[in-house]
């Protein structure tokens, strides 16, 4: 079993749709959690950190469920520019980051 | 404030040659991480370094690969006697502490 698992997709949605990505992790000692996006094999860019209480940044909402070892990302009112691969990242307290393989989103007009 | 710098951006090597990839972290960052992304695959952790120390190299292949982060200068990922299977994008990331990582643009290595 992979340490961090994501549904690879692809998710194909129309503009304006709401889409949700899920991520599960196996290491219960994981300390911090992030979502990154990666465009066309360029470098990953930080989208947002994920906090225990859940957090929102504009159209993006991230949630963490430590009991179920589960992280989610919700994108509302999808834009064409949201098309990318979304990477779930889990850090241990030893500084090691484990990346999921990513979920591919394509937003169509 | 410059971001993470990597060079070269593209590197072509013949089988058996050596590849040296360089990474300069963001100003003020003392933690460096190297990742490899094979075609059509996800990012795989290779090694985590702090100045003059390898903290975690659990993702490094046992042979031909080495990494360093000297007191002065960039971090270097060195691949000896490259093979075609080493062709990939190699990303470096840096952080201030063991937390949020910021990525460089990557080095695309092609082995002929």
């Amino acid at each position: 079993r992979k340490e961090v698992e994501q549904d690879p997709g692809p998710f194909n949605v129309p503009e304006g749709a709401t889409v949700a990505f899920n991520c599960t992790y196996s290491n219960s000692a994981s300390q911090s959690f992030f979502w990154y996006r990666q465009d066309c094999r360029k470098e990953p860019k930080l989208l947002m950190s994920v906090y225990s209480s859940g957090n929102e940044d504009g159209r993006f909402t991230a949630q963490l469920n430590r009991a179920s070892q589960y992280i989610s990302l919700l994108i509302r009112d999808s834009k064409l520019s949201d098309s990318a691969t979304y990477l779930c990242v889990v850090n241990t307290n030893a500084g090691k980051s484990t990346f999921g393989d990513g979920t591919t989103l394509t937003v169509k007009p | 404030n410059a971001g993470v710098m990597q060079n070269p951006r593209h590197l072509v090597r013949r089988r058996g040659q050596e590849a040296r990839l360089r990474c300069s972290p963001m100003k003020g960052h003392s933690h460096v991480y190297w990742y490899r992304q094979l075609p059509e695959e996800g990012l795989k952790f290779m090694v985590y370094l702090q100045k003059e120390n390898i903290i975690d190299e659990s993702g490094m292949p046992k042979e031909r690969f080495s990494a360093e982060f000297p007191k002065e200068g960039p971090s270097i990922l060195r691949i000896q006697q490259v093979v075609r299977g080493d062709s990939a994008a190699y990303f470096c990331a840096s952080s201030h502490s063991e937390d949020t990582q910021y990525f460089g643009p990557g080095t695309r290595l092609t082995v002929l």
Side-chain angles (χ1 to χ4, degrees):
Chain A
R1 183 189 171 192
K2 291 183 179 180
E3 287 187 54
V4 178
E5 296 212 52
Q6 295 183 248
D7 180 347
F11 284 66
N12 297 305
V13 303
E15 271 187 290
T18 295
V19 60
F21 304 138
N22 301 322
C23 171
T24 58
Y25 60 96
S26 60
N27 187 347
S28 58
S30 299
Q31 295 288 315
S32 53
F33 310 88
F34 306 89
W35 284 101
Y36 282 72
R37 68 173 279 170
Q38 186 176 27
D39 295 81
C40 299
R41 315 286 295 172
K42 293 184 179 178
E43 74 270 28
K45 294 189 176 178
L46 178 67
L47 181 64
M48 58 197 304
S49 303
V50 186
Y51 303 119
S52 296
S53 55
N55 49 299
E56 189 174 306
D57 182 1
R59 297 180 294 107
F60 299 83
T61 301
Q63 293 201 312
L64 167 65
N65 184 323
R66 285 189 185 270
S68 302
Q69 296 182 196
Y70 167 99
I71 306 157
S72 66
L73 177 68
L74 182 77
I75 305 175
R76 291 183 298 279
D77 189 21
S78 300
K79 311 291 184 192
L80 296 177
S81 58
D82 294 335
S83 297
T85 297
Y86 290 83
L87 307 172
C88 171
V89 183
V90 175
N91 284 12
T92 65
N93 60 1
K96 180 178 174 180
S97 294
T98 303
F99 281 71
D101 287 341
T103 298
T104 300
L105 171 67
T106 301
V107 181
K108 299 186 175 180
Chain B
N1 187 12
V4 179
M5 311 278 282
Q6 287 188 251
N7 66 82
R9 296 289 301 276
H10 299 274
L11 182 61
V12 179
R13 284 288 177 265
R14 296 190 180 280
R15 280 179 297 170
Q17 291 184 320
E18 179 179 286
R20 280 185 180 240
L21 288 61
R22 286 175 289 278
C23 170
S24 297
M26 284 179 72
K27 188 176 181 180
H29 286 190
S30 59
H31 301 245
V32 166
Y33 311 79
W34 285 94
Y35 296 85
R36 177 166 65 176
Q37 189 168 35
L38 295 169
E40 307 306 320
E41 293 190 15
L43 240 65
K44 299 301 179 195
F45 168 81
M46 298 182 76
V47 62
Y48 162 37
L49 310 104
Q50 294 181 26
K51 284 285 187 182
E52 300 184 277
N53 287 306
I54 296 175
I55 307 301
D56 182 343
E57 57 181 346
S58 57
M60 288 279 269
K62 296 294 181 216
E63 299 186 355
R64 303 187 296 109
F65 285 71
S66 62
E68 61 176 7
F69 188 16
K71 188 176 180 181
E72 301 291 337
S75 176
I76 306 286
L77 179 68
R78 182 182 178 206
I79 311 172
Q80 295 178 288
Q81 300 174 333
V82 295
V83 300
R84 288 213 174 112
D86 296 333
S87 295
Y90 291 83
F91 290 102
C92 167
S94 73
S95 67
H96 174 66
S97 59
E98 293 177 346
D99 205 350
T100 310
Q101 296 177 25
Y102 297 90
F103 281 80
T107 295
R108 269 78 178 166
L109 173 65
T110 301
V111 180
L112 302 177

